[in-house]
Amino acid sequence: MTKDPGPLVQRLVLGAELKDLREAAGLTSDDVATHFGWYRSKVSKIETGEGKLSDKDIQSLLDLYGAHERSGDQVRRLATEARRKLPAARVTDWAKKYVSLEDSASEIKMFFPDVIPGVLQTFDYARECLTASVMVSSVEVDEIASAREKRSAKLFSSDPPQVWAVMGEEAIQRRVGSPEVHRGQLERIRQLAELDHVTVQLIPTSMGTHPGMGLMFTLLHIDAADATIAYIENLTSSDYFSGAQHVRAYNLVFDRLRVAAMSDRETLRLIDRHIQELGKE
């Protein structure tokens, strides 16, 4: 059975389809905005999946672009799919969009300097992190921790995404919970890193400066929409960047971080040493 990509991805695909139709019609974004009396950024938001469209807007665009019947039917179907509402994921409010996009991603690149990324976390490790958070109520901790562990489980599925996780050495050094909890998390990282589609690398603290200082971000590539999105989260909100300039910059930083980091084999040896040390406590 084909996996439901969800309305967020359908919105991205819809935007890409409309962009193709506009370009085929020989029109610029400014041409379209001027024709309809829209503000200039509206067309860009529509084509990057950030803007919402009514049925009337869709038909007006199809008429302007001179779309043939088959293309029109495809766009109208995508517009309907993009307006669907799915059950909310058990995450903080501003991260709900991210979880949906992550679930549809074919490639995930992550840089986390001082903590294990959520999609790689065990239930116990996630619970310790969430208990310390000032943004998560105590009644939500177990449910959100369980949701994180379920996200991790998809990496063992028959159709997993390609994953590159670059972390600062502090992410595995910093003790989270008891020695048993922390060791369990490192063993999970070790297990994931042995999978063909998962690469884990650490940047040693001894390195000093590197291109990712002061940053924490994730790059999601979604094949269905032929789109890459940079996701940046802070304490109370998050930002999504899909523009070519932003994505290019974050990809460049990530590539340089991978070069600066230990190799995947060296990383596993360091994780093994930490696991052995925890086993002695």
Side-chain angles (χ1 to χ4, degrees), residues 123-174:
F123 173 85
D124 291 332
Y125 182 96
R127 193 178 189 282
E128 293 289 341
C129 292
L130 292 164
T131 298
S133 173
V134 299
M135 299 303 297
V136 179
S137 69
S138 58
V139 297
E140 295 178 300
V141 166
D142 283 358
E143 195 169 1
I144 297 179
S146 179
R148 285 190 183 180
E149 188 168 48
K150 287 178 181 177
R151 286 163 56 201
S152 177
K154 76 179 180 182
L155 300 181
F156 296 98
S157 70
S158 59
D159 185 27
Q162 289 288 327
V163 175
W164 283 267
V166 177
M167 294 176 281
E169 187 179 355
E170 186 181 350
I172 67 166
Q173 285 180 334
R174 180 175 294 279

Side-chain angles (χ1 to χ4, degrees), residues 3 21-22 30 34 54 65 70 114 117 120 126 136 140 147 160 163 176 198 211 223 235 243 250 254 264:
K3 181 180 177 181
L21 289 171
R22 174 180 61 75
D30 284 347
T34 300
S54 66
Y65 299 158
R70 185 175 178 182
D114 57 8
L120 307 183
V136 179
E140 295 178 300
V163 175
V176 174
V198 178
D223 277 344
L235 182 62
Y250 281 100
F254 192 80
D264 50 349

Side-chain angles (χ1 to χ4, degrees), residues 177-195:
S178 67
E180 292 75 22
V181 168
H182 197 69
R183 182 178 181 180
Q185 177 61 71
L186 295 186
E187 288 173 342
R188 168 59 66 86
I189 296 292
R190 186 71 171 75
Q191 182 185 23
L192 287 167
E194 290 290 351
L195 299 174

Side-chain angles (χ1 to χ4, degrees), residues 18 21 57-67 71-72 75-76:
L18 289 171
L21 289 171
D57 288 336
I58 289 291
Q59 192 57 54
S60 295
L61 287 169
L62 291 173
D63 290 341
L64 178 63
Y65 299 158
S71 294
V75 167
R76 282 186 285 270

Side-chain angles (χ1 to χ4, degrees), residues 86 102 225 237 262:
L86 296 179
E102 180 191 82
S237 64
M262 301 176 182

